[in-house]
Amino acid sequence: MLNKNRINLKKLWLFIGFISCCLIVFNCKNKRIIKLKVLQFNIWQEGTVVKNGFDAVVDEIIRTDADLISFSEVRNYNGVDFSKHIIEALKDKGHTYYAQPSQDTGLLSKYPIIEQTALYPVKNDHGSITKAIINVLGVEVAFYSGHLDYLNCALYLPRGYDGSTWKKLDSIVTNVEIIHKNNLESMRDEAIDTFIADAENEIKQGRLVIYGGDNNEPSHLDWIEANKHLYDHNGVVINWRNTAKIEKHGFKDAYREIFPNPVSHPGFTYPADNPLVPINKLAWSPEADDRDRIDFIFYNPDERLKLIDAKILGPKGDVSKNKRVLQPTEDIFIEPLNVWPTDHKAVLASFALKF
C-alpha cells in the first residue's frame, strides 16, 4: 500500500511538473509579444502656431503612450534642436525617448536608435523623408517619417482651386489626365520612389518597415465611385499615384486595413477644426470642401507584425467651405486634451510585435 501511494505521489509530481513547464512555455510565448504604438503627427511648425502648442505635442505623446512617432514640420527654429527640445520636455515629465537631429521630418522612439539618415533631404521646402533603424527589444525596425512636397497639390483642382497658389480657378478641373499631370509636377513621387527602393532593401535584410507621413496627396482608396459626388470630388474617381504605388509594392495602409470603407470611415486628417485658431488660418480654399485623408501610416506585412487597430487623434470637427463642421462618421477618435497643437489630425496605429 505504501509503495502504491509513493507511485501515485510520484505521478502527481510529474503531472504538476508537466503543467508547470507548459505554463512557463506559455508565459514565455506571451512575453515575446508586445504592443507597438505608432503615431503620425504633423505638428504645424513645431506647435508654434497655437499658444502652448509645443507643450500640447508633449502631452499628446504621453497620453497616447506612443512608441514610435513620425513628425512633420520640424523647423529647429532660432537654432534650437527640436529633437533635443522634445526629449528634454518628455524627460521632465518622467518619460524617456530617443531622437536625433533632423530637418522638416523627425522621428521619436521609446527604443534606441541605431542610426538615422536624411533619406530624402529637404531642399527648397519640397518635402523630405527621414529614416531611422530602431532596435525594438532585439527586432530591428526601419522607421520612416515623410512630409512630402506641398506644391502642385492636385487634390484642389477638382475643387476649383490652384494647388500651388490656392487661388480660385475659373472652373473646376475634372479631367483625370490633367489632374495626374499636375500631381506629377510635384516632387512627391520622387520622394515615395526613394522610400520604396530603400524599404525593399531593408526588407531583404530582415527588418520590419513602417512609414508615417503627411503626404499632401490623397489615397486612391478614398476617391472611388461610391463617394465621387461627396466632398467636392465633383464626379472624379482617381487612382492617386503615390498611395497606389506604395500598395503595388506590397505595403498596407493601416487605417484602410481596419476601416476599408471611405464612406462610413472617411478618416479625414486635414483640415482639422482647431477651435483655438481663426477660421481664415484653417481654410486654404474657402469656397470648397477640401476635407481629405492625407496623413498615413503604412507597413510591410510580416509574420512578426500584426495590425490591431487604428484611430484618429484629434478633434472630431473639420473645416469645409470656410465653416467649422462636424461630419457624422463612424471614425473612431481620440479627442484632444485642452489644447490641440495643429491644423491636422494625427493617426495612431497599434501593432502586436512578435519576437
Side-chain angles (χ1 to χ4, degrees):
M1 189 71 175
L2 184 61
N3 287 338
K4 187 176 181 180
N5 286 339
R6 285 177 177 173
I7 291 170
N8 288 337
L9 186 61
K10 184 177 181 180
K11 287 181 177 178
L12 177 62
W13 281 112
L14 286 172
F15 177 73
I16 292 172
F18 172 75
I19 294 297
S20 297
C21 286
C22 289
L23 289 173
I24 289 169
V25 170
F26 179 75
N27 286 334
C28 286
K29 286 183 178 179
N30 279 353
K31 289 179 181 178
R32 293 174 69 86
I33 299 176
I34 65 165
K35 193 171 187 179
L36 187 71
K37 292 184 179 181
V38 180
L39 178 65
Q40 157 55 28
F41 205 172
N42 180 308
I43 52 174
W44 204 9
Q45 314 300 337
E46 298 184 2
T48 60
V49 181
V50 180
K51 185 178 180 181
N52 299 320
F54 176 82
D55 292 335
V57 171
V58 172
D59 290 341
E60 293 293 351
I61 290 168
I62 293 171
R63 191 261 290 260
T64 60
D65 194 31
D67 299 288
L68 304 178
I69 300 104
S70 53
F71 290 124
S72 300
E73 301 194 20
V74 172
R75 304 306 188 196
N76 301 309
Y77 287 123
N78 302 316
V80 176
D81 179 358
F82 175 79
S83 65
K84 184 177 180 181
H85 190 196
I86 194 84
I87 285 174
E88 290 177 346
L90 285 160
K91 185 177 180 181
D92 287 344
K93 294 193 174 187
H95 298 268
T96 299
Y97 278 85
Y98 301 89
Q100 294 183 9
S102 61
Q103 181 66 38
D104 188 51
T105 44
L107 298 161
L108 187 66
S109 171
K110 277 188 180 180
Y111 299 95
I113 296 174
I114 299 172
E115 61 180 80
Q116 180 173 302
T117 56
L119 178 69
Y120 188 84
V122 63
K123 184 178 181 181
N124 299 324
D125 205 18
H126 282 288
S128 70
I129 297 178
T130 302
K131 164 193 169 184
I133 305 300
I134 298 171
N135 183 347
V136 181
L137 301 177
V139 176
E140 292 190 358
V141 179
F143 185 42
Y144 299 78
S145 175
H147 180 221
L148 306 190
D149 193 355
Y150 74 100
L151 296 174
N152 298 105
C153 197
L155 65 87
Y156 285 96
L157 297 181
R159 289 154 167 154
Y161 281 81
D162 185 278
S164 291
T165 65
W166 289 274
K167 292 180 179 179
K168 198 169 186 299
L169 301 173
D170 292 334
S171 61
I172 63 173
V173 178
T174 58
N175 184 308
V176 172
E177 289 186 8
I178 293 174
I179 297 169
H180 274 308
K181 182 177 182 297
N182 181 266
N183 195 42
L184 288 174
E185 288 172 2
S186 79
M187 299 184 71
R188 291 186 290 276
D189 52 321
E190 288 92 337
I192 286 300
D193 289 352
T194 300
F195 156 68
I196 291 171
D198 189 83
E200 289 185 334
N201 183 55
E202 294 295 349
I203 292 167
K204 289 177 183 176
Q205 295 184 57
R207 288 174 173 145
L208 300 178
V209 170
I210 301 174
Y211 169 97
D214 166 10
N215 282 7
N216 280 312
E217 183 177 315
S219 171
H220 67 295
L221 300 175
D222 293 352
W223 284 57
I224 61 174
E225 191 71 25
N227 62 11
K228 68 180 182 181
H229 296 302
L230 300 176
Y231 321 125
D232 280 356
H233 290 190
N234 286 308
V236 173
V237 175
I238 185 168
N239 199 40
W240 290 102
R241 192 265 187 190
N242 287 310
T243 53
K245 186 153 189 184
I246 290 170
E247 181 183 79
K248 182 179 178 181
H249 284 264
F251 299 94
K252 300 293 185 181
D253 176 339
Y255 198 78
R256 279 287 164 258
E257 284 294 295
I258 299 295
F259 304 113
N261 187 344
V263 177
S264 61
H265 295 81
F268 299 134
T269 62
Y270 185 84
D273 176 20
N274 191 322
L276 301 177
V277 178
I279 193 73
N280 66 327
K281 288 188 176 181
L282 299 171
W284 285 51
S285 52
E287 295 181 26
D289 180 353
D290 60 350
R291 291 173 291 174
D292 236 314
R293 188 172 67 100
I294 60 174
D295 299 82
F296 303 94
I297 294 173
F298 292 98
Y299 67 99
N300 179 61
D302 188 290
E303 63 180 8
R304 296 168 293 176
L305 194 67
K306 181 180 179 181
L307 179 65
I308 300 172
D309 64 24
K311 298 175 182 177
I312 301 295
L313 171 64
K316 287 185 176 181
D318 308 299
V319 173
S320 173
K321 298 185 178 181
N322 213 33
K323 294 181 180 178
R324 303 178 193 272
V325 298
L326 186 62
Q327 177 77 12
T329 76
E330 296 178 36
D331 292 308
I332 298 175
F333 291 89
I334 304 172
E335 294 193 66
L337 297 168
N338 295 329
V339 175
W340 183 242
T342 172
D343 55 347
H344 283 245
K345 301 178 191 184
V347 184
L348 180 68
S350 297
F351 298 87
L353 177 59
K354 182 179 178 181
F355 294 84

mmCIF file of all heavy atoms in Angstrom, residues 281-296:
data_model
loop_
_atom_site.group_PDB
_atom_site.id
_atom_site.type_symbol
_atom_site.label_atom_id
_atom_site.label_comp_id
_atom_site.label_asym_id
_atom_site.label_seq_id
_atom_site.Cartn_x
_atom_site.Cartn_y
_atom_site.Cartn_z
ATOM 1 N N LYS A 281 -7.194 80.975 -40.942
ATOM 2 C CA LYS A 281 -5.897 80.300 -40.942
ATOM 3 C C LYS A 281 -6.031 78.804 -41.196
ATOM 4 O O LYS A 281 -5.029 78.113 -41.385
ATOM 5 C CB LYS A 281 -5.176 80.529 -39.613
ATOM 6 C CG LYS A 281 -4.654 81.937 -39.420
ATOM 7 C CD LYS A 281 -3.783 82.032 -38.178
ATOM 8 C CE LYS A 281 -3.180 83.412 -38.029
ATOM 9 N NZ LYS A 281 -2.308 83.491 -36.821
ATOM 10 N N LEU A 282 -7.267 78.318 -41.207
ATOM 11 C CA LEU A 282 -7.506 76.896 -41.398
ATOM 12 C C LEU A 282 -8.040 76.571 -42.788
ATOM 13 O O LEU A 282 -7.912 75.440 -43.254
ATOM 14 C CB LEU A 282 -8.502 76.383 -40.344
ATOM 15 C CG LEU A 282 -8.069 76.508 -38.877
ATOM 16 C CD1 LEU A 282 -9.223 76.162 -37.954
ATOM 17 C CD2 LEU A 282 -6.873 75.615 -38.589
ATOM 18 N N ALA A 283 -8.653 77.546 -43.446
ATOM 19 C CA ALA A 283 -9.292 77.312 -44.740
ATOM 20 C C ALA A 283 -8.422 77.843 -45.870
ATOM 21 O O ALA A 283 -8.273 79.051 -46.029
ATOM 22 C CB ALA A 283 -10.661 77.974 -44.769
ATOM 23 N N TRP A 284 -7.827 76.936 -46.652
ATOM 24 C CA TRP A 284 -6.990 77.333 -47.786
ATOM 25 C C TRP A 284 -7.829 77.523 -49.052
ATOM 26 O O TRP A 284 -7.429 78.233 -49.959
ATOM 27 C CB TRP A 284 -5.905 76.283 -48.034
ATOM 28 C CG TRP A 284 -4.794 76.340 -47.038
ATOM 29 C CD1 TRP A 284 -4.917 76.351 -45.670
ATOM 30 C CD2 TRP A 284 -3.399 76.410 -47.296
ATOM 31 N NE1 TRP A 284 -3.679 76.416 -45.082
ATOM 32 C CE2 TRP A 284 -2.719 76.445 -46.058
ATOM 33 C CE3 TRP A 284 -2.638 76.427 -48.461
ATOM 34 C CZ2 TRP A 284 -1.338 76.500 -45.947
ATOM 35 C CZ3 TRP A 284 -1.253 76.477 -48.371
ATOM 36 C CH2 TRP A 284 -0.613 76.522 -47.119
ATOM 37 N N SER A 285 -8.964 76.861 -49.121
ATOM 38 C CA SER A 285 -9.862 77.016 -50.270
ATOM 39 C C SER A 285 -11.252 77.321 -49.713
ATOM 40 O O SER A 285 -12.102 76.436 -49.603
ATOM 41 C CB SER A 285 -9.884 75.751 -51.125
ATOM 42 O OG SER A 285 -10.144 74.601 -50.327
ATOM 43 N N PRO A 286 -11.489 78.583 -49.335
ATOM 44 C CA PRO A 286 -12.652 78.937 -48.512
ATOM 45 C C PRO A 286 -14.016 78.668 -49.129
ATOM 46 O O PRO A 286 -15.004 78.597 -48.400
ATOM 47 C CB PRO A 286 -12.447 80.433 -48.245
ATOM 48 C CG PRO A 286 -11.487 80.897 -49.273
ATOM 49 C CD PRO A 286 -10.613 79.736 -49.586
ATOM 50 N N GLU A 287 -14.087 78.479 -50.443
ATOM 51 C CA GLU A 287 -15.391 78.204 -51.056
ATOM 52 C C GLU A 287 -15.563 76.729 -51.397
ATOM 53 O O GLU A 287 -16.553 76.345 -52.033
ATOM 54 C CB GLU A 287 -15.582 79.067 -52.308
ATOM 55 C CG GLU A 287 -15.658 80.565 -52.009
ATOM 56 C CD GLU A 287 -15.880 81.394 -53.259
ATOM 57 O OE1 GLU A 287 -16.452 80.874 -54.234
ATOM 58 O OE2 GLU A 287 -15.464 82.574 -53.261
ATOM 59 N N ALA A 288 -14.614 75.910 -50.960
ATOM 60 C CA ALA A 288 -14.650 74.487 -51.322
ATOM 61 C C ALA A 288 -14.649 73.595 -50.082
ATOM 62 O O ALA A 288 -14.289 74.020 -48.984
ATOM 63 C CB ALA A 288 -13.446 74.144 -52.201
ATOM 64 N N ASP A 289 -15.066 72.358 -50.298
ATOM 65 C CA ASP A 289 -14.956 71.314 -49.280
ATOM 66 C C ASP A 289 -13.707 70.509 -49.611
ATOM 67 O O ASP A 289 -13.719 69.666 -50.506
ATOM 68 C CB ASP A 289 -16.200 70.422 -49.321
ATOM 69 C CG ASP A 289 -16.162 69.312 -48.274
ATOM 70 O OD1 ASP A 289 -15.120 69.149 -47.608
ATOM 71 O OD2 ASP A 289 -17.176 68.601 -48.140
ATOM 72 N N ASP A 290 -12.606 70.814 -48.945
ATOM 73 C CA ASP A 290 -11.334 70.158 -49.277
ATOM 74 C C ASP A 290 -10.916 69.138 -48.214
ATOM 75 O O ASP A 290 -9.738 68.830 -48.065
ATOM 76 C CB ASP A 290 -10.222 71.191 -49.490
ATOM 77 C CG ASP A 290 -9.962 72.047 -48.260
ATOM 78 O OD1 ASP A 290 -10.751 71.984 -47.295
ATOM 79 O OD2 ASP A 290 -8.955 72.788 -48.255
ATOM 80 N N ARG A 291 -11.884 68.600 -47.489
ATOM 81 C CA ARG A 291 -11.557 67.593 -46.485
ATOM 82 C C ARG A 291 -10.982 66.352 -47.147
ATOM 83 O O ARG A 291 -11.515 65.859 -48.141
ATOM 84 C CB ARG A 291 -12.809 67.229 -45.676
ATOM 85 C CG ARG A 291 -13.297 68.342 -44.771
ATOM 86 C CD ARG A 291 -14.618 67.990 -44.123
ATOM 87 N NE ARG A 291 -15.715 67.951 -45.093
ATOM 88 C CZ ARG A 291 -16.946 67.563 -44.787
ATOM 89 N NH1 ARG A 291 -17.229 67.149 -43.570
ATOM 90 N NH2 ARG A 291 -17.886 67.588 -45.716
ATOM 91 N N ASP A 292 -9.899 65.864 -46.585
ATOM 92 C CA ASP A 292 -9.248 64.705 -47.186
ATOM 93 C C ASP A 292 -8.403 63.990 -46.153
ATOM 94 O O ASP A 292 -8.100 64.532 -45.080
ATOM 95 C CB ASP A 292 -8.367 65.121 -48.372
ATOM 96 C CG ASP A 292 -8.746 64.388 -49.651
ATOM 97 O OD1 ASP A 292 -8.926 63.155 -49.588
ATOM 98 O OD2 ASP A 292 -8.865 65.045 -50.687
ATOM 99 N N ARG A 293 -8.019 62.784 -46.498
ATOM 100 C CA ARG A 293 -7.104 61.983 -45.668
ATOM 101 C C ARG A 293 -5.738 62.023 -46.343
ATOM 102 O O ARG A 293 -5.514 61.372 -47.356
ATOM 103 C CB ARG A 293 -7.634 60.543 -45.556
ATOM 104 C CG ARG A 293 -6.880 59.670 -44.555
ATOM 105 C CD ARG A 293 -7.593 58.335 -44.369
ATOM 106 N NE ARG A 293 -7.544 57.525 -45.571
ATOM 107 C CZ ARG A 293 -6.694 56.509 -45.773
ATOM 108 N NH1 ARG A 293 -5.832 56.176 -44.836
ATOM 109 N NH2 ARG A 293 -6.738 55.832 -46.898
ATOM 110 N N ILE A 294 -4.837 62.809 -45.758
ATOM 111 C CA ILE A 294 -3.509 62.945 -46.372
ATOM 112 C C ILE A 294 -2.392 62.513 -45.431
ATOM 113 O O ILE A 294 -1.218 62.550 -45.802
ATOM 114 C CB ILE A 294 -3.262 64.391 -46.868
ATOM 115 C CG1 ILE A 294 -3.333 65.396 -45.719
ATOM 116 C CG2 ILE A 294 -4.240 64.749 -47.975
ATOM 117 C CD1 ILE A 294 -2.950 66.816 -46.134
ATOM 118 N N ASP A 295 -2.744 62.101 -44.219
ATOM 119 C CA ASP A 295 -1.752 61.620 -43.245
ATOM 120 C C ASP A 295 -1.913 60.109 -43.099
ATOM 121 O O ASP A 295 -3.029 59.618 -42.868
ATOM 122 C CB ASP A 295 -1.950 62.309 -41.892
ATOM 123 C CG ASP A 295 -1.766 63.808 -41.996
ATOM 124 O OD1 ASP A 295 -2.736 64.499 -42.401
ATOM 125 O OD2 ASP A 295 -0.670 64.299 -41.684
ATOM 126 N N PHE A 296 -0.799 59.388 -43.193
ATOM 127 C CA PHE A 296 -0.873 57.932 -43.311
ATOM 128 C C PHE A 296 0.158 57.219 -42.435
ATOM 129 O O PHE A 296 1.208 57.770 -42.110
ATOM 130 C CB PHE A 296 -0.601 57.498 -44.760
ATOM 131 C CG PHE A 296 -1.521 58.113 -45.781
ATOM 132 C CD1 PHE A 296 -1.160 59.276 -46.441
ATOM 133 C CD2 PHE A 296 -2.728 57.524 -46.091
ATOM 134 C CE1 PHE A 296 -2.002 59.850 -47.389
ATOM 135 C CE2 PHE A 296 -3.580 58.080 -47.033
ATOM 136 C CZ PHE A 296 -3.214 59.248 -47.688
#
